[in-house]
Amino acid sequence: MNDKLKPLRERIDSIDAQILDLLNQRAKVAQEVGHVKAETGAPVFRPEREAQVLRGVADRNPGPMGNAELQTIWREIMSACRSLEKRVTVAFLGPAGTYSEQAVYEQFGTAVDVLPCASIDEVFRATEAGTAEFGVVPVENSTEGAIGRTLDLLLHTPLTISGEVSIAVRHSLLTGSGNMDGVTAICAHAQALAQCQIWLNNNYPDLERIAVSSNAEAARMARDDHKLAAIAGERAGVRYSLGTVKANIQDDPHNRTRFAVIGSLQAGPSGEDRTSLALAAPHKAGSIYRLLGSLAQHGVSMTRFESRPARTGTWEYYFYVDVQGHVQDPAVAGALAELQSNAAFFKVLGSYPVSLT
């Protein structure tokens, strides 16, 4: 057996040496790119460029490795090389172990500095103040709907959306012991409790349910108090050294949360982009029809339409709209110019590469 494995291992060692050499060659070129960017004032992080690289990896992949696995490797390579140019700080809705933190790493890789924040408002404040170059905030959940506070803050912030990340929400029931012996209550964020309601009703209908500020906070509480179980993701379970009682307890197996990357950077076209808008319609008959008709006339596809009260006390609403394409695309630019002329309020929240997942 060893005689058969030895030549294969020698081949792997040889290939590893080549990979190591090529990675360092890439890193040296990245350093040169960093010098040029520093001279010209160009941003270190270019989401459209990184999206194109990751899509290219999938397009050129002959197998047997899967596209998702290769893209994860390439994301980390780009992250490590980017950090040689300048290490980026990213704010997110904390504490550590949340899905928001996972979204940070799925967008930027792990070679970044992270800044956990106590609220969505604080993520915006830290990014607007320049304490962090970027922030990551939840925008919508596929089962619970839009995150209203994020939409309200996007309306007035000077920041723009430069990227999006879609995360599969996989909740686990966690305890310090890995079983439910002695547990008297289950804690989680209110949204997670709602997303696991049917499973909880079927399996632990008599246990108290406690809503807390985040699933990661629930995991921390369960670590410190063995009478508590937590609903949280795998990352939180590992961080707080909890055992898994049951994995994947969410009622909807397709549950996902979409996150926005916010900052002062305006992303360029990547070839597969989305543009987010905030609108208000004038008080005229057919005004909403005219607004949306501008998109249809220019052949621009709308992928999301969400209303939100304007909080003026007069039953006025803002509309949040996502369309396919980038603001620099001629069709999108034409549609938005016409749409703006018909709107009582108009703001482009950002044009950015579509999430890979």
Side-chain angles (χ1 to χ4, degrees), residues 13-340:
D13 289 343
S14 175
I15 293 169
D16 284 348
Q18 296 175 56
I19 292 173
L20 179 61
D21 180 59
L22 290 171
L23 285 175
N24 279 300
Q25 287 186 47
R26 190 189 197 283
K28 290 177 182 178
V29 175
Q31 287 179 316
E32 294 178 22
V33 169
H35 295 321
V36 174
K37 287 182 176 179
E39 293 172 357
T40 60
V44 171
F45 176 59
R46 296 301 315 194
E48 69 276 16
R49 166 62 179 161
E50 295 195 4
Q52 288 168 342
V53 170
L54 293 173
R55 291 172 193 152
V57 167
D59 291 341
R60 295 190 299 272
N61 177 27
M65 290 187 69
N67 289 340
E69 290 75 16
L70 278 174
Q71 288 173 330
T72 297
I73 293 169
W74 246 262
R75 184 180 292 107
E76 288 302 322
I77 292 171
M78 291 191 293
S79 182
C81 289
R82 191 194 322 117
S83 71
L84 294 175
E85 302 176 38
K86 180 179 181 295
R87 200 165 175 95
V88 173
T89 299
V90 186
F92 69 95
L93 180 60
T98 60
Y99 286 109
S100 294
E101 183 186 37
Q102 181 182 342
V104 170
Y105 296 134
E106 292 207 12
Q107 173 70 39
F108 293 92
T110 56
V112 294
D113 295 326
V114 292
L115 177 65
C117 297
S119 66
I120 293 174
D121 295 60
E122 185 58 33
V123 175
F124 275 82
R125 280 194 291 269
T127 311
E128 289 172 1
T131 307
E133 285 92 341
F134 297 95
V136 171
V137 290
V139 175
E140 62 177 337
N141 177 264
S142 60
T143 61
E144 297 297 313
I147 311 301
R149 189 57 187 159
T150 298
L151 297 185
D152 291 343
L153 292 169
L154 283 170
L155 198 64
H156 302 293
T157 184
L159 304 174
T160 187
I161 301 174
S162 57
E164 68 170 6
V165 184
S166 178
I167 299 289
V169 177
R170 298 187 176 95
H171 293 311
S172 295
L173 185 64
L174 308 167
T175 65
S177 63
N179 60 59
M180 295 294 283
D181 294 345
V183 171
T184 59
I186 299 172
C187 52
H189 189 275
Q191 194 173 72
L193 289 172
Q195 292 166 357
C196 302
Q197 183 175 0
I198 296 174
W199 190 91
L200 292 173
N201 289 344
N202 290 336
N203 291 273
Y204 297 100
D206 298 328
L207 289 186
E208 181 185 4
R209 300 172 196 177
I210 303 173
V212 297
S213 59
S214 72
N215 292 341
E217 173 62 13
R220 185 198 65 77
M221 293 168 62
R223 178 198 62 188
D224 297 340
D225 185 349
H226 286 190
K227 292 183 179 180
L228 296 177
I231 295 174
E234 180 183 356
R235 182 179 293 274
V238 171
R239 181 173 290 275
Y240 295 100
S241 302
L242 299 177
T244 301
V245 178
K246 181 68 175 178
N248 298 322
I249 66 171
Q250 65 279 357
D251 297 330
D252 180 1
H254 306 295
N255 188 13
R256 302 188 73 86
T257 296
R258 179 181 168 219
F259 295 84
V261 179
I262 56 173
S264 58
L265 173 69
Q266 295 187 3
S270 73
E272 294 182 39
D273 301 293
R274 192 188 320 277
T275 297
S276 294
L277 315 167
L279 311 167
H283 290 290
K284 297 178 182 178
S287 58
I288 295 177
Y289 173 80
R290 280 190 292 273
L291 286 177
L292 301 183
S294 301
L295 300 175
Q297 290 169 12
H298 288 267
V300 176
S301 177
M302 181 176 64
T303 58
R304 178 168 172 259
F305 183 83
E306 189 92 30
S307 64
R308 181 89 179 143
R311 298 188 175 185
T312 60
T314 56
W315 300 103
E316 295 179 337
Y317 290 84
Y318 288 109
F319 300 98
Y320 294 84
V321 178
D322 287 348
V323 300
Q324 289 182 347
H326 193 278
V327 288
Q328 295 182 22
D329 298 342
V332 175
L336 297 191
E338 184 176 323
L339 195 156
Q340 184 173 8

